[in-house]
């Protein structure tokens, strides 16, 4: 089956906070014959989805279990602390880990920040998801550290957030099953890496209309046409044949 055949779809998974729109737009322009389907999936489930064939590739937050997966790290996000707007930290421009020592910090089960030592005091419960933890922060029962994009995703009028420069950071990556590196996956990798449509490493060739026009081949000189060749010694300025 070729890329342009009906029924061919590229399935792209992504975890909360990741916005794949810019890559999807490029795909739509370059691959009009292959629709792209977006699959929103919790961070804790994306690897299982890929291994079970539920998506062709996905944007994940590292670290993940890389067994059988190919991974391309993309970018690192700032870690922020989410607090109620009337919290003392809301008055600061940024917060240090040491400033959290007396605060109860939620550690949701879907947390993707890799901590060596968790900051602050353990909260009274471990929420199942980041969204649940945000609700508890809004209730004034603790604070939460998350990647910046998740703080924006779960924005509320009664909450604010401040950067924590010395906290571990979350890294977003593109991943897919290594043994399922299809042509379509290669095409998407090229888009994510910023390759142009005519890149030598890209798979999609330029259309005939985009190829430079070729000059017609020069016809070889015809001998015996009845016209005498002028000897080089006689090709001088002012010479006229008699």
């Amino acid at each position: 089956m070729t890329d342009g055949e009906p029924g061919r779809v590229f399935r792209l998974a992504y975890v909360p906070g990741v916005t794949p729109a810019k890559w999807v737009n490029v795909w739509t322009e370059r691959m009009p014959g292959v629709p792209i389907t977006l699959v929103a999936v919790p961070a804790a489930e994306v690897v299982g989805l890929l291994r079970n064939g539920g998506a062709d590739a996905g944007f994940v937050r590292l670290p993940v279990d890389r067994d059988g997966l190919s991974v391309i790290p993309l970018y690192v996000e700032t870690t922020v602390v989410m607090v109620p707007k009337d919290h003392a930290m809301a008055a600061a421009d940024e917060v240090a880990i040491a400033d959290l020592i007396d605060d109860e910090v939620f550690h949701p089960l879907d947390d993707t920040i890799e901590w060596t030592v968790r900051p602050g005091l353990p909260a009274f419960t471990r929420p199942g998801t980041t969204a649940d933890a945000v609700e508890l922060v809004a209730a004034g029962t603790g604070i939460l550290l998350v990647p910046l994009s998740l703080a924006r995703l779960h924005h509320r009028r009664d909450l604010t957030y401040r950067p924590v420069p010395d906290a571990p950071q979350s890294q977003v990556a593109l991943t897919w099953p290594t043994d399922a590196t299809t042509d379509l996956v290669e095409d998407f990798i090229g888009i994510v890496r910023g390759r142009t449509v005519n890149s030598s490493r890209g798979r999609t060739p330029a259309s005939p209309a985009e190829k430079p026009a070729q000059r017609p081949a020069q016809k070889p000189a015809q001998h015996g046409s009845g016209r005498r060749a002028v000897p080089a010694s006689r090709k001088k300025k002012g010479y006229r044949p008699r």
Side-chain angles (χ1 to χ4, degrees):
M1 180 179 286
T2 62
D3 292 351
E5 290 181 14
R8 192 74 182 272
V9 176
F10 183 71
R11 301 160 302 163
L12 178 65
Y14 66 101
V15 297
V18 175
T19 306
K22 65 179 181 180
W23 297 297
V24 171
N25 289 339
V26 176
W27 176 278
T28 302
E29 292 174 1
R30 292 189 187 177
M31 309 285 289
V34 185
I36 185 167
T37 298
L38 296 179
V39 184
V41 59
E45 300 175 15
V46 63
V47 169
L49 180 76
L50 291 168
R51 287 185 174 142
N52 292 332
D56 299 296
F59 290 109
V60 303
R61 292 186 184 276
L62 300 179
V64 295
D65 180 2
R66 299 194 182 198
D67 184 32
L69 298 178
S70 295
V71 177
I72 300 176
L74 298 176
Y75 59 89
V76 174
E77 286 195 75
T78 299
T79 298
V80 301
V81 58
M82 296 187 73
V83 298
K85 281 193 172 179
D86 59 358
H87 195 283
M89 292 182 196
D93 292 330
E94 60 182 37
V95 177
I97 288 292
D99 298 330
L100 311 179
I101 189 170
D102 295 324
D103 286 273
E104 291 189 12
V105 181
F106 289 110
H107 182 201
L109 295 176
D110 64 354
D111 185 13
T112 57
I113 298 176
E114 194 170 23
W115 298 96
T116 304
V117 178
R118 289 200 58 81
L121 303 172
F124 69 94
T125 185
R126 282 199 71 183
T129 67
T130 297
D132 294 336
V134 170
E135 294 291 334
L136 293 171
V137 173
T141 56
I143 62 176
L144 175 66
L145 289 104
V146 292
L148 177 58
S149 65
L150 287 181
R152 290 172 173 166
L153 177 66
H154 297 290
H155 172 72
R156 293 174 52 122
R157 292 183 179 179
D158 52 352
L159 298 181
T160 188
Y161 54 85
R162 295 293 182 267
V164 186
D166 59 344
Q169 295 177 313
S170 173
Q171 188 169 29
V172 173
L174 176 68
T175 185
W176 66 96
T178 302
D179 60 1
T181 307
T182 64
D183 288 342
L184 293 182
V185 170
E186 290 283 7
D187 286 328
F188 192 75
I189 292 169
I191 289 172
V192 170
R193 288 190 179 279
R195 297 175 195 155
T196 64
V197 69
N198 293 321
S199 169
S200 60
R201 296 190 65 186
R203 194 180 62 82
T204 306
S207 63
E210 294 173 333
K211 294 180 180 179
Q214 296 182 350
R215 290 185 177 182
Q218 295 271 351
K219 291 184 178 180
Q222 298 291 326
H223 296 287
S225 61
R227 186 175 180 179
R228 292 190 304 169
V230 180
S233 60
R234 296 173 62 185
K235 292 181 181 179
K236 297 180 181 179
K237 185 175 180 181
Y239 169 77
R240 295 181 179 175
R242 295 178 182 176

